[in-house]
Amino acid sequence: MAESRNVTGSKDDLLADASRCMLMRFSESSCRLCFDICPHGAVSLDGGLSINPQQCRGCLLCTAVCPVGALEQSSDFSACLARLSKVPEPILGCVRTNECSNGTVACLGGLSEEHLLALCHTLTGRLTLNLSLCGDCPNNPMITRLRQRLDAISEAGLSDSRCHINFAESAQDIHYRDESVDRRSFFKSFSNALFKNAAVILSATNEQTERRTEYAGKRLPIRRKLLNSTRNKLSQELVVRIRKHFDSCVSFDDTCTRCQGCAAICPTGALQTELSDIPPTFDQLLCTCCGLCREFCMDGALRISTGNSEDGAG
């Protein structure tokens, strides 16, 4: 396994929670996003979500499309973001480019639109995505997807002129320099690193690549948490654009029987109920637009609209 990780990532770079999968929660769900996007045929949905460790190359494309957090990255993106922010013109790479990148993820294919948005509005100057070794990598189909995501962010008016993200596809385009600090900053960084490394060691001993959530448990996917954290720092104008691009609104028509089934099956807690004689209340910030509530509604009384809503939180 160690040798394969020098070539690409692996299944170990995934946190798989089959109990979160929409097909596990509702067998008639039409969701096949992870299966359709996997370039290696490593995802199986027969009898439940599973990842073939021999076929998985850790491209993390599945983590960027799963709307309910059944497949997520095992690495700490917040820690990576913190490392990048210490360098004027940082380079973000993968496990293959660790020696010439200021921050790394297992594979850049795991950078969703939410990740790219966070990078745009956290960093300043120029951020380079190190694709110099992607040409001969089995995960290179992710490059097209990554470009599409960055284009989508730009077209939605969500890219920040303070941080320009560019792609470097050859070694000549990489201008790597390590973090430079003065004496006081050095000791401060050293102290912080000790605590961070200790936290990583402690979390690593308890973290598993396979985990399970109780059916009734509600949990917000990491990508949605990242999005909500990012939007809290932005202007109202950008928040409105984020709503239009990322958010949805759930509403009910007159055929709703108040059965509350949609609230029970919602994996994130976006639909909540306290009274049985009215439809559930909707929290826009907790909705990932997975559509499971609409698929599950036996009365066809539930509607999901994309974009901003008059009563949406924000």
Side-chain angles (χ1 to χ4, degrees):
M1 182 63 72
E3 294 181 357
S4 67
R5 287 181 62 84
N6 292 329
V7 179
T8 66
S10 72
K11 183 178 180 292
D12 292 338
D13 300 308
L14 284 175
L15 290 177
D17 188 347
S19 60
R20 297 278 305 173
C21 178
M22 292 170 62
L23 279 166
M24 290 289 288
R25 299 177 74 86
F26 181 46
S27 62
E28 297 180 26
S29 173
S30 61
C31 185
R32 299 291 188 279
L33 293 174
C34 58
F35 179 85
D36 292 339
I37 203 171
C38 180
H40 306 297
V43 178
S44 174
L45 298 175
D46 296 332
L49 171 66
S50 63
I51 307 296
N52 186 320
Q54 280 70 47
Q55 292 179 260
C56 180
R57 295 294 176 266
C59 70
L60 301 178
L61 286 173
C62 57
T63 70
V65 297
C66 178
V68 293
L71 293 167
E72 296 187 308
Q73 301 182 37
S74 61
S75 60
D76 186 347
F77 181 74
S78 296
C80 177
L81 194 58
R83 290 191 293 271
L84 295 173
S85 64
K86 297 178 181 179
V87 183
E89 294 188 346
I91 297 174
L92 176 58
C94 69
V95 292
R96 306 180 81 203
T97 62
N98 184 57
E99 295 182 355
C100 54
S101 298
N102 303 109
T104 59
V105 291
C107 179
L108 295 175
L111 294 179
S112 64
E113 291 185 20
E114 292 89 342
H115 288 96
L116 294 171
L117 183 73
L119 289 167
C120 283
H121 293 281
T122 302
L123 305 177
T124 57
R126 180 179 64 179
L127 169 67
T128 299
L129 300 184
N130 190 343
L131 306 178
S132 60
L133 298 181
C134 293
D136 62 348
C137 178
N139 291 341
N140 62 34
M142 69 83 188
I143 298 177
T144 300
R145 302 280 187 176
L146 189 57
R147 291 187 182 278
Q148 291 172 345
R149 294 169 194 161
L150 191 58
D151 288 344
I153 290 294
S154 178
E155 291 171 4
L158 293 172
S159 58
D160 194 332
S161 59
R162 295 178 303 171
C163 178
H164 175 71
I165 298 179
N166 68 294
F167 293 73
E169 299 191 44
S170 68
Q172 290 74 25
D173 297 327
I174 303 298
H175 304 288
Y176 172 74
R177 61 176 177 174
D178 206 349
E179 175 189 356
S180 58
V181 295
D182 56 27
R183 182 178 296 183
R184 176 175 296 180
S185 298
F186 168 79
F187 285 109
K188 183 177 180 180
S189 298
F190 181 73
S191 176
N192 289 339
L194 287 177
F195 285 108
K196 287 181 179 179
N197 289 337
V200 169
I201 292 172
L202 289 174
S203 62
T205 58
N206 293 320
E207 193 63 85
Q208 298 177 341
T209 56
E210 301 287 347
R211 53 183 182 179
R212 188 169 185 84
T213 302
E214 293 297 326
Y215 178 83
K218 310 293 184 181
R219 178 169 62 81
L220 203 58
I222 294 175
R223 282 185 10 239
R224 189 66 183 186
K225 289 182 179 179
L226 180 62
L227 174 64
N228 290 342
S229 175
T230 301
R231 82 168 88 203
N232 287 337
K233 309 171 186 175
L234 304 181
S235 66
Q236 185 59 34
E237 179 183 359
L238 284 172
V239 168
V240 170
R241 292 178 186 175
I242 285 177
R243 287 178 184 168
K244 291 181 179 179
H245 187 70
F246 287 102
D247 291 352
S248 303
C249 183
V250 172
S251 59
F252 303 87
D253 62 27
D254 294 338
T255 62
C256 175
T257 61
R258 284 69 167 163
C259 73
Q260 313 299 331
C262 55
I265 203 169
C266 175
T268 64
L271 290 171
Q272 303 170 8
T273 180
E274 294 182 359
L275 302 174
S276 60
D277 57 343
I278 61 173
T281 57
F282 173 66
D283 188 334
Q284 191 176 60
L285 293 179
L286 300 182
C287 179
T288 62
C289 197
C290 69
L292 190 59
C293 55
R294 179 175 53 196
E295 290 184 316
F296 187 72
C297 181
M298 294 181 292
D299 304 308
L302 193 149
R303 301 286 180 267
I304 300 177
S305 57
T306 58
N308 199 4
S309 65
E310 294 182 357
D311 59 349

